[in-house]
């Protein structure tokens, strides 16, 4: 794999709905097992793996091993790498653009003129 794949070890379980809420929007690819939840966004090329029940080194390793086995079985590894590479290109492009942008000072705010109306003026009725 190349590029960013976020691995999040959860002390307790991980659900599809929690994963989608973490991602921020419901339009994503989700694969869920008892040991892990994989969420991938095809537009922003974000991919996250939530490893469930990571209470010790053994359970964490088992969850991670299960995820890697799934990758090999469904040949998702190629898409995962492609997504990761695309996300990496997006991040680099944003960084380049941020470096090129000139630092423009914020415009000074003009002082507004305040018009004060006295109580006697505001209570006057317009001529009829």
């Amino acid at each position: 794999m190349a590029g960013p794949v976020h691995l999040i070890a959860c002390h307790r379980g991980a659900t599809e709905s929690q994963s989608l809420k973490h991602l921020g929007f419901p339009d994503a690819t989700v694969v869920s097992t008892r040991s892990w939840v994989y969420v991938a966004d095809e537009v922003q090329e974000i991919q996250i793996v939530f490893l469930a029940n990571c209470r010790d080194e053994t359970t964490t390793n088992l969850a991670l091993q299960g995820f890697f086995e799934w990758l090999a079985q469904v040949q998702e590894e190629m898409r995962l790498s492609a997504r990761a590479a695309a996300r990496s290109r997006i991040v680099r492009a944003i960084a380049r653009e941020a470096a090129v942008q000139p630092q423009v000072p914020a415009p000074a705010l003009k002082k507004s003129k305040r018009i004060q109306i006295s109580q006697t003026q505001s209570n006057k009725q317009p001529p009829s």
Side-chain angles (χ1 to χ4, degrees):
M1 282 183 258
V5 178
H6 305 279
L7 297 173
I8 299 177
C10 304
H11 188 264
R12 293 189 179 171
T15 67
E16 288 183 25
S17 63
Q18 289 170 331
S19 304
L20 289 171
K21 283 180 185 176
H22 183 79
L23 187 61
F25 46 89
D27 190 22
T29 301
V30 180
V31 179
S32 180
T33 70
R34 287 180 31 169
S35 301
W36 50 265
V37 178
Y38 171 69
V39 183
D41 171 30
E42 301 292 332
V43 176
Q44 297 181 53
E45 304 294 346
I46 296 170
Q47 46 197 355
I48 306 170
V49 179
F50 295 89
L51 303 171
N53 302 315
C54 295
R55 293 189 177 102
D56 56 31
E57 188 176 342
T58 303
T59 56
T60 304
N61 284 334
L62 285 172
L64 194 55
Q65 181 181 357
F67 174 69
F68 286 130
E69 287 173 1
W70 172 76
L71 283 177
Q73 287 174 357
V74 297
Q75 297 178 343
E76 177 70 10
E77 193 167 7
M78 295 295 277
R79 284 182 282 197
L80 184 75
S81 291
R83 237 180 258 116
R87 182 67 183 170
S88 183
R89 287 192 303 273
I90 290 168
V91 170
R92 283 195 305 272
I94 291 170
R96 278 193 307 271
E97 185 64 24
V100 174
Q101 292 293 324
Q103 296 299 323
V104 178
L109 297 175
K110 294 181 181 179
K111 290 186 177 180
S112 62
K113 293 180 182 178
R114 296 186 119 186
I115 299 174
Q116 293 185 349
I117 300 174
S118 68
Q119 277 294 67
T120 56
Q121 288 176 332
S122 63
N123 291 336
K124 289 181 181 177
Q125 296 292 326
S128 39

